[in-house]
Amino acid sequence: MEIPVYTLDAFTNLPFKGNPAAVCPLLHELSDDLYQKIAAEITCQKPLLSSPDQTLADTFTSGTRFRLRWFTPTTEINLCGHATLASAAVLFQYKNNVNPTLVFETRSGALSVSKKKEGYIMDFPLNPPTKEDHSDFKDIIKATVGNQPVQEVFLSRDTKKLMIRLPDSCERSMLTSLKVDPVALLNSDSSGRVRGVIVTMKGSPDCKPGCDFFSRYFAPWAGIPEDPVTGSAHTVLGSYWSKALGKKKMLAYQCSSRGGELELEVRDDGRINIAGEVTTVLQGVIRL
């Protein structure tokens, strides 16, 4: 059996930047065990998040609805923005899909992706976080930011993402220089309340002009020490910063070592548009 595979970098127009995703367009379902083995195999070759894409439709060229699943090297996850963006790019660019909008059936419901002049726009659920007491998460905070000052702590219970906001007085270098030990972070909480940690700070014209806020994202509970650019984290960040800044449209930059840019628009219907570009770096075949 041969399975086509494409590796694309999402939320960037440059190769080796943004967040890489491996996309496998399939005509028939595989076993869960095989999906997981493929994800682990791809990641063994390069230590990056891989997301095999399982799609079902009449044809890849004319179909409008596809099934989509996401796998990290260790587990299946409920929502993945960059792999959704990459999956749409494969269908539009390599399968020559003729429709302006595609809909993916996922664990997080129906997610649509539309073409724009440059890149694609994803229609995602908005996940508003609630403010929490620092002391309830002191071990996670310590493992993530050490003794650095913290302004606020919020938790999205739906996504199990904890958001730590650094004070506005902090330099961006404080965020970019964080060195998070994934083992220490993983061991800091076993309650199941948290599956990922976002560290964020307000943007500054002196750092990257036009960016409303910056972030990094760590998820060792899902087998991801640090995710380079995370669409799902921005369903939480978009909600928080929209209220904090009084803006509906925002430009975000995730300042991992690879880095990536996301255009956000918080809608009145409880959804968020997340837009970004995609570039292809590899195309091949998996032989089983």
Side-chain angles (χ1 to χ4, degrees), residues 38-216:
I38 291 171
E41 181 71 15
I42 291 173
T43 304
C44 283
Q45 297 171 16
K46 50 185 184 356
L48 305 168
L49 172 68
S50 64
S51 300
D53 168 25
Q54 189 267 310
T55 57
L56 293 172
D58 293 336
T59 71
F60 288 121
T61 301
S62 62
T64 58
R65 302 185 77 89
F66 299 85
R67 291 186 60 189
L68 177 61
R69 296 173 70 179
W70 308 284
F71 292 84
T72 75
T74 60
T75 189
E76 183 173 8
I77 57 176
N78 293 329
L79 184 63
C80 185
H82 79 281
T84 304
L85 202 67
S87 298
V90 167
L91 292 174
F92 283 128
Q93 295 179 25
Y94 296 102
K95 300 301 181 180
N96 299 313
N97 193 284
V98 297
N99 300 289
T101 299
L102 304 176
V103 178
F104 294 104
E105 299 291 349
T106 77
R107 279 186 168 190
S108 293
L111 307 175
S112 67
V113 184
S114 303
K115 293 180 183 178
K116 63 190 295 278
K117 185 176 181 181
E118 293 181 353
Y120 307 93
I121 303 174
M122 301 186 295
D123 175 355
F124 266 36
L126 194 64
N127 289 296
T130 55
K131 191 169 184 177
E132 302 290 337
D133 191 313
H134 292 45
S135 62
D136 291 341
F137 299 92
K138 63 181 185 300
D139 292 339
I140 296 179
I141 295 170
K142 177 74 172 178
T144 307
V145 300
N147 295 318
Q148 300 293 353
V150 171
Q151 180 167 325
E152 291 183 312
V153 176
F154 278 68
L155 177 67
S156 166
R157 286 180 170 78
D158 288 341
T159 64
K160 296 187 177 182
K161 288 176 171 46
L162 186 72
M163 192 200 80
I164 301 170
R165 177 179 174 179
L166 301 178
D168 296 345
S169 58
C170 290
E171 299 286 339
R172 181 186 166 191
S173 59
M174 182 180 293
L175 178 60
T176 57
S177 64
L178 283 178
K179 298 187 184 304
V180 179
D181 181 345
V183 176
L185 183 55
L186 180 64
N187 292 334
S188 69
D189 183 80
S190 58
S191 67
R193 294 180 301 170
V194 175
R195 295 281 293 171
V197 178
I198 303 164
V199 186
T200 188
M201 64 183 295
K202 187 178 178 181
S204 167
D206 300 329
C207 295
K208 188 175 176 65
C211 282
D212 293 290
F213 63 88
F214 303 105
S215 68
R216 289 176 68 186

Side-chain angles (χ1 to χ4, degrees), residues 30-38:
L30 305 177
S31 69
D32 288 0
D33 179 64
L34 188 51
Y35 290 138
Q36 197 63 71
K37 285 179 177 177
I38 291 171

